[in-house]
Amino acid sequence: MRIAISILSFLIVNQLSFGQDFERKIFDYSKFPEKKTIICSNSTTEKLDKVLWLIKNLQSKKSAVLAKDIFQNSEKCPALFEAYAWALFRSGEWMESISVIDSGINIFGANPDLILRRGYMSIEMADLGVGVRHIDGNSVYLPKSKQLNFEDTIFKRQNYLSALSDFQYISDNYQDRFQEIYITGYIYQQLQEYENSIAYLSRLLDIEDYADEIVFLIIDNYIGQKKYSEAENSLKNLEKKHPKNSDIQKKFSELYKISGDEKNYTISSLKAQYYRWVPEYCDLDYSPENYKTILFFLEDHSPKQKIEKLNMIKKQKPKQAIDIFITILNLHENHGNGVEEEIEKMLIKIGNSVVPKVILLLQNAPSTCTVTKAASMLAELKDPRGWQPLIDYLPRMEHIPLTLIPPNVPEQIIKFDKKKGLEALLAWIKGQLEKNESVSDSPLDELGGTFASMTIYSPLSAYKTEEIKKAATELKYTDEQIEKLLTKIFKK
């Protein structure tokens, strides 16, 4: 065990010593002798499951501490190296994580799990560069003093080359590895090896789940090769399938700008902007008039003028009004000026015909405030179609970053149906408790951050203590769980 730790320390120092001449190790997996598959003991596997649970639930620092302890006090096996490396990586300790995964491959050979984990870490490092980390659901931009001391372009290229060797090995030696084939094609594109990129990507053209995205990447390769006619024809075929896709219009505008087609560049740029504003589920095709209508609510007009415009739209464009109102809510550019609140009232007044689009807003809105508005409308309308989407949203609250105020969905569930709401919320909370109990002595504390916890538990204070106890007992809560639940709700 001491030897293994010493090796890791040497590897960390060795990698950090490269300075600006950063270079990643490229393994030739074909030269590794075949080794017997080693499986971790049940005890170690159970411990590693806790590490992975912490990572999944955005507690990377805890995961790294726990993984280190397991690593130092357990028999060595591939999954141990993989979990420890992943915990370090997700907590931002990139160089240490690479040292761990590389040492695991040196010990256990061409283990596909280790190779894949290494590849995914390498490609993230290549995409982000020396100054950014993804930690616990947030992008962390490091000050210059804390960035890795490597030339960014060299760092990215070396990590792409390393990732390429890993994903190419898996793509070429295992069947139906569609994701790895896709990534191999993507990496070749980043390295500007366009023919190799097309060769790998073309292997996925008949795979339905990949076809459209593959065409998009191949178009980028055509542009890189200055094959503009091929790129335009492929884009037009893609546009026929997805006429409201903003990314397709943006790609058209890039192509026309490069090729010098000013007229089509202007049109495609306006369409790209418009379809960024308008969700694809809204029935609002691009037109100069529709563009101006949406733009009005993004410009610096007074709230009074915007509300007057809303009334005019409702009167003059009744068939389009719902989609226009949903689009404005989705944009979330009129928060706090009374415009969004007025739209909410108008949609409720229109009635149950708005429910399908409001459900889509709930499921797709980029702002948690907008999710709350959608949930509030469903609760007010009480259309049966709106109940299950509210319940289905609850699991999404488990992974909301601490920097965001969570949507007030639990309160709206209670508002929708107070009796059913209590049972639904307690059933969901109990499911989380059962998942968390193996990790935390106080599993209720693990359910969301401070704001999420308030959003989840505070609405339940609308019920009497005896109502909560009765419902919790029927759901087979333990006495200890009920006591902790009541403490969280009533802040005893």
Side-chain angles (χ1 to χ4, degrees), residues 296-395:
F296 183 88
F297 291 93
L298 293 165
E299 293 176 331
D300 191 23
H301 302 289
S302 70
K304 181 180 177 181
Q305 289 173 308
K306 290 183 176 181
I307 291 171
E308 288 174 354
K309 183 81 168 178
L310 292 174
N311 286 314
M312 186 191 73
I313 290 168
K314 185 177 179 181
K315 183 178 179 180
Q316 297 181 358
K317 301 180 179 180
K319 291 183 179 179
Q320 291 184 306
I322 295 173
D323 289 303
I324 292 172
F325 294 167
I326 292 289
T327 295
I328 297 168
L329 288 178
N330 187 72
L331 286 168
H332 196 49
E333 291 290 332
N334 290 276
H335 182 63
N337 65 5
V339 173
E340 291 183 358
E341 288 72 18
E342 190 64 29
I343 290 174
E344 185 178 351
K345 292 176 187 175
M346 287 181 170
L347 288 171
I348 290 170
K349 191 171 181 180
I350 290 170
N352 288 354
S353 62
V354 308
V355 168
K357 293 291 171 67
V358 173
I359 290 172
L360 289 167
L361 180 66
L362 173 85
Q363 295 169 336
N364 297 284
S367 164
T368 57
C369 295
T370 307
V371 170
T372 295
K373 277 193 167 51
S376 176
M377 285 186 278
L378 293 175
E380 187 70 34
L381 290 165
K382 301 189 189 303
D383 186 296
R385 292 172 293 177
W387 175 257
Q388 194 58 45
L390 288 172
I391 302 303
D392 291 342
Y393 192 89
L394 290 173

Side-chain angles (χ1 to χ4, degrees), residues 189 213 215-224 228 231-232 234-236 238 245-259 264-265 268-269 271-273 276:
Q189 184 181 93
E213 196 168 353
V215 171
F216 214 83
L217 286 176
I218 290 175
I219 288 167
D220 281 332
N221 286 325
Y222 286 148
I223 292 173
Y228 301 136
E232 184 178 30
S234 295
L235 272 172
K236 286 180 177 178
L238 206 53
N245 186 280
S246 174
D247 290 333
I248 292 173
Q249 297 304 323
K250 183 180 178 183
K251 190 59 64 179
F252 267 122
S253 68
E254 291 174 10
L255 173 62
Y256 291 136
K257 185 175 183 178
I258 292 170
S259 62
N264 280 319
Y265 167 72
S268 58
S269 295
K271 284 185 174 182
Q273 181 63 72
R276 274 196 294 274

Side-chain angles (χ1 to χ4, degrees), residues 93-105:
E93 304 296 334
W94 280 3
M95 304 312 295
E96 291 84 348
S97 70
I98 291 299
S99 295
V100 171
I101 205 79
D102 282 5
S103 63
I105 290 172

